[in-house]
Amino acid sequence: MSAEAEADGQSSRIEINGVGKRYGDLQVFKDINLEFREREIVTIVGPSGCGKTTLLRCIDGLLPVNEGEIRIEGDVITQPREGVSMVFQHFGLFPWKTVRQNVGYGLKLAGAPRAEIAEKVPYYVDLVGLKGFEDAYPYQLSGGMQQRCGLARALTMEPSVLLMDEPFAAVDAQTREILQFELLKIWRMRPMTMVFVTHSIEEAVLMGDRVVVLKGRPSSVFEVIDVDLPAPRDRSTLAHPRFTEIREHVWTTLMDEVRAAEYELN
Amino acid sequence: MDRVLTFVNSDRAYVRWGTVLLALLAGGLLWEVVGLQFNQAIMAPLIGDGVDHPGTLPRLGRYLFDDPEYLLSLLQSIQLFATGFGLALLIALPFGIILARLVMLRVALESYILMLYVTPMIALIPFILSILGFDFWPKVLVVYLFAFFPILYNTLEGARSVKPEMLEVAKSFRSSEFAIWTDILIPYTLPFALTGIRQAAGRALVGMVAAEFFLSTSGLGEELQTASRNFDMAGVLATILVITGLGISFMKIAGVFEQKYSAWRGLDR
């Protein structure tokens, strides 16, 4: 697999038209209209409980929407779609499977030939930096390595859409930073449409080409911010004045709401 | 004092096995002394003097190495046990997982399962006798009933506790229901099921003896009855030892599987 061939990887457009979600009487979000372009990283931030993770699950087809529709490449999503992979905050690894078996899980389900699995699994295990740990079980790995495994499992499917559900929230701060830059590097090798949900404003601005801010109760899209920071993003991005500017902007936007919510409680 | 405590709580292998050996020797000695005090129709010693006090171990040796009829009884019992227990395994394991997957079916049957789980199956023997009679299969049913509910109950509880996150991953990766079973439900449930299987092995043994006692007498149950009727306590105790040995073997076998398939469990967070 050469780098050029990978750069031609599939990528899909996602349209979210007037989408709303209810749990019984509780309206989580409503009237969400978004369009994610091909080979774009869109991050979604919002206060906890705003339904950003729920929205991501709707895009994956794990949860049905109550209003509106979500389309990927024109197809209305009613169930998980081929070419869409998700990385979970809870890792979702199977403790009785080795790293190799966990990474090959999706391919095996898709009925991929043995030779293909034997070729792709080691490639992606290596890509996420787990070489040498193929036969380890998840409990033998640190949180960061477990999420590398979760990432490899998603990448092995060579998806056109990668959905990231607060993937680094359960990982310690240093590892988190390392993983962020490694993910960006992997994405540059094979750019796909990536929707990245996070509660970290810093992470949202660092990773996203655009940042979607969800706000309100029920929540809806408050603002979509173009992050005009130079590519490639790396550690130096964090020191860029424009980075600080955008981060502060998002912070102020969200803090109004967090404060309001706090007063509401008092 | 400290040194005594250190010694008593030592985890060295030779201390451990030495303690086990000593405990067994002490128990055996007690048995021997008590046995020699009584008439042979009331109690038999472990080794005995071979005249007024026939021993249990010599009798056990004769049973196992010099008594083809006894071996036939043993085989008969094992056959009964294996058939009843095997059927219970074959039905209870998949049924437990199905019940965990189909909420409505579980809700409908839950109270029955709980009732039958706690019912002493031995109380059902009169019905089985009056309805099904004395054949081999009514006895199998008794063993089956003794074994079925512990396996079902533990399997069901295990399968119910599968983490929803795992099922979510399966759905996201477009897993078929069949693959959900093989990738998640079965490996996740197996350690729980094996706990039930270990319990069930003990119960099935009770069922085996009860069936051979109360339905048409056969196998080890019959040997026990005959010896008892002849006031042959050495024979009774030797047969009890055989049954104990069977029980311990089944437990050990189940334990080995439990270890093998639950390695991931204790270490999983």
Side-chain angles (χ1 to χ4, degrees):
Chain A
M1 270 176 270
S2 70
E4 294 97 278
E6 281 155 35
D8 285 339
Q10 290 289 307
S11 178
S12 290
R13 208 176 67 246
I14 304 173
E15 296 156 87
I16 300 174
N17 302 321
V19 161
K21 175 74 189 168
R22 269 180 282 115
Y23 285 118
D25 287 337
L26 177 73
Q27 181 94 35
V28 186
F29 49 76
K30 63 165 203 239
D31 201 28
I32 303 233
N33 290 288
L34 288 167
E35 193 177 328
F36 304 145
R37 297 183 283 261
E38 288 167 30
R39 297 168 194 221
E40 178 182 46
I41 304 179
V42 178
T43 53
I44 302 178
V45 275
S48 49
C50 75
K52 49 193 189 296
T53 287
T54 304
L55 177 61
L56 197 72
R57 279 175 165 65
C58 292
I59 298 173
D60 195 32
L62 288 171
L63 294 173
V65 297
N66 299 103
E67 298 128 32
E69 57 176 28
I70 296 173
R71 286 172 183 270
I72 297 180
E73 286 292 295
D75 301 335
V76 176
I77 297 302
T78 54
Q79 56 184 346
R81 183 184 192 273
E82 209 180 333
V84 180
S85 283
M86 184 143 160
V87 176
F88 297 85
Q89 180 184 355
H90 54 66
F91 309 153
L93 302 176
F94 301 120
W96 47 83
K97 288 184 191 285
T98 60
V99 166
R100 190 196 315 276
Q101 290 165 331
N102 269 299
V103 173
Y105 173 69
L107 282 181
K108 207 188 87 189
L109 284 181
R114 211 177 275 264
E116 189 187 335
I117 297 176
E119 184 197 324
K120 282 184 179 170
V121 168
Y123 175 79
Y124 285 100
V125 164
D126 190 18
L127 189 67
V128 300
L130 278 180
K131 199 177 184 126
F133 292 94
E134 290 87 348
D135 295 314
Y137 287 92
Y139 67 82
Q140 297 168 313
L141 304 178
S142 67
M145 286 164 90
Q146 290 189 33
Q147 193 55 302
R148 286 170 190 268
C149 184
L151 179 62
R153 177 175 65 185
L155 290 174
T156 308
M157 301 306 288
E158 303 188 334
S160 57
V161 174
L162 187 62
L163 304 176
M164 306 289 278
D165 169 32
E166 303 195 30
F168 308 139
V171 170
D172 68 84
Q174 286 82 19
T175 311
R176 177 181 197 153
E177 217 169 274
I178 294 170
L179 288 174
Q180 286 166 347
F181 293 119
E182 282 191 26
L183 177 63
L184 284 172
K185 214 170 77 191
I186 290 169
W187 179 84
R188 282 197 295 274
M189 288 169 65
R190 193 181 169 283
M192 67 287 258
T193 310
M194 176 148 65
V195 185
F196 193 112
V197 165
T198 175
H199 61 246
S200 155
I201 295 169
E202 188 143 325
E203 185 169 68
V205 178
L206 173 69
M207 306 289 291
D209 295 320
R210 289 190 295 158
V211 177
V212 173
V213 181
L214 292 183
K215 206 171 138 172
R217 255 160 221 262
S219 67
S220 50
V221 177
F222 181 77
E223 194 176 1
V224 180
I225 302 153
D226 276 302
V227 184
D228 44 358
L229 284 166
R233 310 260 174 98
D234 50 30
R235 267 199 66 81
S236 68
T237 310
L238 295 169
H240 202 284
R242 183 77 184 127
F243 174 81
T244 319
E245 211 173 296
I246 299 172
R247 190 190 64 199
E248 289 310 302
H249 173 78
V250 177
W251 195 86
T252 317
T253 311
L254 282 175
M255 276 312 129
D256 288 348
E257 168 133 332
V258 173
R259 264 194 219 107
E262 228 170 308
Y263 285 127
E264 210 173 280
L265 285 175
N266 297 336
Chain B
M1 193 60 205
D2 268 2
R3 289 180 60 189
V4 173
L5 271 179
T6 314
F7 179 75
V8 167
N9 294 318
S10 163
D11 58 352
R12 296 195 172 188
Y14 72 90
V15 176
R16 238 181 86 96
W17 290 111
T19 311
V20 170
L21 198 69
L22 268 177
L24 285 177
L25 272 177
L29 196 68
L30 187 67
W31 182 349
E32 188 67 23
V33 170
V34 172
L36 288 171
Q37 306 308 310
F38 286 96
N39 182 293
Q40 57 165 298
I42 297 171
M43 174 76 194
L46 192 58
I47 295 165
D49 55 15
V51 192
D52 291 334
H53 298 284
T56 304
L57 282 184
R59 175 61 60 87
L60 182 64
R62 188 142 31 94
Y63 274 164
L64 295 182
F65 300 108
D66 197 23
D67 191 345
E69 247 172 80
Y70 192 90
L71 287 184
L72 213 63
S73 289
L74 178 58
L75 279 181
Q76 227 171 21
S77 284
I78 291 176
Q79 186 195 14
L80 173 61
F81 178 93
T83 315
F85 190 70
L87 280 174
L89 267 182
L90 227 59
I91 298 171
L93 289 177
F95 192 47
I97 300 182
I98 288 172
L99 284 181
R101 289 294 278 169
L102 301 175
V103 176
M104 209 189 271
L105 191 64
R106 184 180 79 232
V107 171
L109 297 180
E110 215 160 27
S111 39
Y112 290 108
I113 292 169
L114 188 66
M115 281 195 292
L116 286 165
Y117 181 58
V118 298
T119 302
M121 286 301 153
I122 211 150
L124 297 183
I125 287 183
F127 295 106
I128 294 166
L129 182 67
S130 62
I131 295 168
L132 295 171
F134 288 104
D135 238 347
F136 174 67
W137 291 104
K139 282 188 276 189
V140 169
L141 181 63
V142 173
V143 176
Y144 171 86
L145 283 175
F146 269 81
F148 181 76
F149 289 98
I151 303 176
L152 179 69
Y153 194 76
N154 283 283
T155 307
L156 172 58
E157 288 305 306
R160 273 183 73 178
S161 68
V162 167
K163 290 190 192 144
E165 295 98 74
M166 291 185 185
L167 298 175
E168 182 179 51
V169 170
K171 190 175 176 195
S172 180
F173 280 91
R174 300 153 50 84
S175 176
S176 63
E177 176 69 16
F178 179 77
I180 287 180
W181 279 59
T182 55
D183 285 320
I184 302 173
L185 294 174
I186 292 174
Y188 183 89
T189 308
L190 216 49
F192 298 90
L194 280 158
T195 306
I197 289 170
R198 212 151 37 87
Q199 279 176 28
R203 285 215 197 182
L205 214 57
V206 177
M208 178 192 88
V209 176
E212 289 178 336
F213 247 84
F214 297 119
L215 301 179
S216 62
T217 49
S218 66
L220 294 175
E222 186 176 14
E223 295 291 342
L224 211 52
Q225 245 181 23
T226 314
S228 162
R229 213 179 292 127
N230 297 334
F231 300 106
D232 171 16
M233 284 307 130
V236 170
L237 288 170
T239 300
I240 291 176
L241 280 186
V242 170
I243 295 170
T244 306
L246 281 181
I248 289 177
S249 316
F250 293 135
M251 295 275 193
K252 286 278 176 215
I253 294 170
V256 168
F257 280 104
E258 212 175 339
Q259 284 258 300
K260 184 171 171 200
Y261 291 110
S262 49
W264 61 268
R265 196 181 173 193
L267 301 156
D268 184 36
R269 286 171 304 151

